[in-house]
Amino acid sequence: MAPSAKIFACTQSQEVARKIASAYGTKLGKVNFYRYSDGEFQPSFEESIRGTRIFIIGSTHPPAENLMEMLLMLDAAKRASARHITAVIPYFSWARQDRKDKPRVPIGAKMIAKLLETAGATRIITMDLHADQIQGFFEKPVDHLYASAIFLPYLQQLNLANLTIASPDMGGSKRAHSYAKYLKGDVVICYKERANANQISYMELIGKVNSKNVILVDDMVDTANTICKAADLIIEKGADTVRAIATHAVLSGNAVKNISQSKLTELIVTDSIPLKEKHPKIKVLSCVELMAEIMSHVHNNQSISSKFII
């Protein structure tokens, strides 16, 4: 058995980190954050981590201060001689910038990967990256978890008849097909065109949903424009009900209002990001047990392949 690991949290993920530590069988380590009047801050580990494996838990959703906090904690751990430094990032932000989709733009996800490694991360644990190929931006090991292990048991207990899985865009068709294969349902795809970021100019449904119970599958919901427009279109095409699952509840701008006014029966998300606003249509499933179990397996050099349902 390996020596005990220590778990620490960034401020933006304190609640979920505390639950993960409890499920792991320990308490969060002590970290103080010193803040200057101009907003600059400095994390400080208040216990020895020399020669140990540590896990630093923190999603990197905006504001950018959340990412900066993770980077500073990684650097502090490296300089305090921690032996293994695992960044546990339930939500890896900037992941939509995974390629150059037009001239003179950055590949933000690659830059963030390099920043994390340079700061001191020797391993990354994350969940449902926006694009699987982002794993290739790292030179360090990446444990890329799938929230299907969380969502599928919930979907099965709903016991929906005439089930159909839908992707809100062409890019998510592979994910939708995986869910459909496991749940033995059909697949439909929403084809969309954007005028600008977060602004859809056109959407059409490919496939039939008449008298079906539809599950929209996505990795994240930001403004909820896409998923709500897709839900409304699916109901217009004759579906009985439409639900959506999205791992990361970014929910910016008028997202909650959009969800409230949409034809969605339910939006099912995880607690990878703290929910900004509660709503009866938003159901939160916890990623705590999954994260704690994977961390334990990583620390004890055990296989994690059994945790990948699809």
Side-chain angles (χ1 to χ4, degrees):
M1 180 68 70
S4 297
K6 294 187 177 185
I7 302 175
F8 299 90
C10 298
T11 54
Q12 72 273 16
S13 297
Q14 284 283 332
E15 183 176 353
V16 72
R18 192 176 297 108
K19 293 176 182 177
I20 291 172
S22 178
Y24 187 92
T26 188
K27 294 182 179 180
L28 286 179
K30 297 177 181 178
V31 182
N32 280 338
F33 288 88
Y34 300 95
R35 295 187 178 271
Y36 299 91
S37 61
D38 64 351
E40 183 181 328
F41 57 91
Q42 179 188 60
S44 171
F45 291 94
E46 298 300 309
E47 58 188 86
S48 176
I49 56 175
R50 183 178 297 274
T52 65
R53 181 192 295 276
I54 71 166
F55 295 96
I56 302 175
I57 301 172
S59 288
T60 56
H61 54 285
E65 182 174 293
N66 290 335
L67 171 62
M68 191 66 188
E69 188 174 310
M70 171 62 79
L71 295 173
L72 289 174
M73 288 188 69
L74 290 170
D75 186 71
K78 177 177 67 176
R79 297 178 189 279
S81 301
R83 186 174 183 181
H84 300 289
I85 307 169
T86 301
V88 182
I89 307 174
Y91 172 58
F92 182 88
S93 63
W94 314 91
R96 284 173 283 188
Q97 300 180 46
D98 62 322
R99 67 195 185 283
K100 286 187 68 174
D101 56 355
K102 62 180 182 179
R104 299 179 296 280
V105 297
I107 303 179
K110 174 70 177 289
M111 184 191 72
I112 300 304
K114 292 304 176 187
L115 284 171
L116 290 167
E117 291 180 337
T118 300
T122 60
R123 190 179 199 97
I124 307 293
I125 297 176
T126 190
M127 183 169 61
D128 276 349
L129 290 167
H130 187 65
D132 287 349
Q133 66 265 24
I134 291 173
Q135 297 171 79
F137 293 166
F138 291 89
E139 299 301 324
K140 304 296 183 183
V142 177
D143 295 306
H144 182 208
L145 312 180
Y146 296 100
S148 55
I150 302 167
F151 290 134
L152 284 171
Y154 180 79
L155 295 178
Q156 287 174 316
Q157 77 176 25
L158 292 176
N159 198 27
L160 297 172
N162 300 321
L163 184 65
T164 292
I165 305 299
S167 172
D169 52 38
M170 300 297 287
S173 57
K174 180 182 176 182
R175 184 184 293 109
H177 178 74
S178 296
Y179 274 84
K181 185 177 180 181
Y182 188 90
L183 295 169
K184 297 179 173 58
D186 298 325
V187 179
V188 298
I189 298 172
C190 296
Y191 171 76
K192 70 179 181 183
E193 294 180 0
R194 290 190 184 276
N196 295 295
N198 298 128
Q199 184 178 347
I200 301 167
S201 60
Y202 173 79
M203 180 177 282
E204 185 55 71
L205 184 67
I206 303 172
K208 296 181 179 180
V209 294
N210 190 50
S211 300
K212 299 285 188 178
N213 290 299
V214 180
I215 306 291
L216 277 159
V217 182
D218 212 347
D219 64 301
M220 63 181 291
V221 54
D222 186 358
T223 61
N225 285 331
T226 295
I227 215 159
C228 290
K229 191 174 182 68
D232 293 349
L233 177 61
I234 288 168
I235 291 295
E236 287 174 16
K237 295 294 184 178
D240 289 342
T241 64
V242 57
R243 291 172 170 82
I245 58 176
T247 307
H248 309 297
V250 179
L251 299 180
S252 65
N254 293 322
V256 175
K257 181 180 179 181
N258 292 338
I259 292 164
S260 175
Q261 296 176 349
S262 75
K263 300 292 177 61
L264 278 171
T265 299
E266 187 176 34
L267 170 65
I268 308 148
V269 299
T270 75
D271 52 358
S272 63
I273 301 174
L275 202 62
K276 296 177 181 177
E277 182 180 346
K278 294 182 179 180
H279 190 276
K281 281 191 176 183
I282 302 175
K283 170 77 173 179
V284 181
L285 303 180
S286 181
C287 66
V288 165
E289 294 294 335
L290 177 63
M291 288 288 176
E293 192 168 0
I294 295 302
M295 288 162 56
S296 178
H297 281 229
V298 166
H299 180 55
N300 294 298
N301 299 311
Q302 297 172 332
S303 172
I304 65 171
S305 59
S306 63
K307 305 305 168 189
F308 297 98
I309 297 180
I310 59 174

